[in-house]
Amino acid sequence: MNQHLLMIEDDVRLANMVCAYLGQSGYQMTHAGDAQTGLSQVQSIAPDLVILDLMLPDMDGLEVCRRIRALHGALARTPVLMLTAKGDSMDRIIGLEMGADDYLPKPFEPRELLARIRAVLRRQGDGAVGGDAHLMRFGVLDIDRDARTVSVSGQLCDLTSYQFDLLVALAERAGRVLTRDQIMEAVRGRELEAFDRSIDVHMGRIRAAIEVDAKNPKRILTVRGVGYVFARQQD
C-alpha cells in the first residue's frame, strides 16, 4: 500500500506541482489549501507524513504543528516536514520546538523534498540506528526500539520520530562524547553543515521529556565546545 502524504499549502500552483511529482514517486497525495481543512484531514485520513507550509491564510503553520502534536495516540506522532521562507532561521528553530521533524526552506528542489520525506519516513518506520536488543534501560528510563517509545518511570514521553532517533543514537553510544555532526550523521546518514542549531533545539525538547529538571540535566550532558554525551549513570 502506498504511503499517504498530506500537503497543507495555500499556493495551489506549488501544491499541484509537488503533488504531481510525489505522486509519480509512488506516494498517495492529498492537498489541503488551508489550516482548518488540513487539521481535519489529519484526523480523517491519518497521513504517514504532513508537508506543512509555515504561512497559511487562516492559521500560522506553527500553530497547526502544535495542534497536531496535541492530538491523541498515533496521530500526535505524525511526522511533520515544515516549509519555511528562505533565510528565516528563527522560524525554523521555533518550528522544531513545536515538534516539526524537519524543515525545508523555499524555494526548494522537488528532489530534495523527496529525499527529506524518504529520510523522515525511514526514521519513522524502522529507526535510523540499528541494534539487536529492542529495549534499552537506564534506571527509570526505558527506550523501546520496536515500539519506538520512550518512558520514564512507566510514563510515556512525548517525542517526535526524529527526537526518538537522536535519543537512541546517543544512548547506544552512552559515555561517549559526540559532536553535533556525529549525532546528526548517525541519524540522517549523511554529513550536514558544520553547525546546525536545530540539534540544540531537539536536545532541549528531549531533555524536557526525559529529565527531572531540564535546566539541570543528569542524563544528556552538554560538553561545552564539543557536543553531547549520554550519561550511563546519573549523578
Side-chain angles (χ1 to χ4, degrees), residues 83-148:
L83 303 178
T84 67
K86 185 176 179 62
D88 288 346
S89 59
M90 186 54 64
D91 284 336
R92 295 198 290 272
I93 291 169
I94 295 173
L96 293 169
E97 290 177 338
M98 288 291 184
D101 293 87
D102 202 355
Y103 62 82
L104 184 62
K106 290 181 178 180
F108 55 84
E109 289 290 335
R111 286 182 297 178
E112 182 177 3
L113 175 62
L114 177 61
R116 288 178 179 263
I117 288 171
R118 286 173 172 169
V120 172
L121 290 174
R122 183 168 61 249
R123 295 196 302 263
Q124 178 78 0
D126 52 34
V129 289
D132 296 329
H134 72 90
L135 181 64
M136 292 186 288
R137 179 163 291 164
F138 302 89
V140 297
L141 173 66
D142 289 340
I143 305 172
D144 191 325
R145 287 195 193 89
D146 287 355
R148 294 184 64 77

Side-chain angles (χ1 to χ4, degrees), residues 7-12 14-15 31-34 53 56 83 106:
M7 185 171 193
I8 307 177
E9 167 65 66
D10 63 319
D11 186 332
V12 177
L14 174 63
H31 169 235
D34 58 76
D53 186 31
L56 294 167
L83 303 178
K106 290 181 178 180

Side-chain angles (χ1 to χ4, degrees), residues 1-6 19 22-23 26-30 45 48:
M1 183 177 179
N2 292 345
Q3 289 172 302
H4 197 161
L5 310 184
L6 169 64
C19 288
L22 295 177
Y27 295 104
Q28 181 180 352
M29 299 300 302
T30 295
I45 68 176
D48 295 287

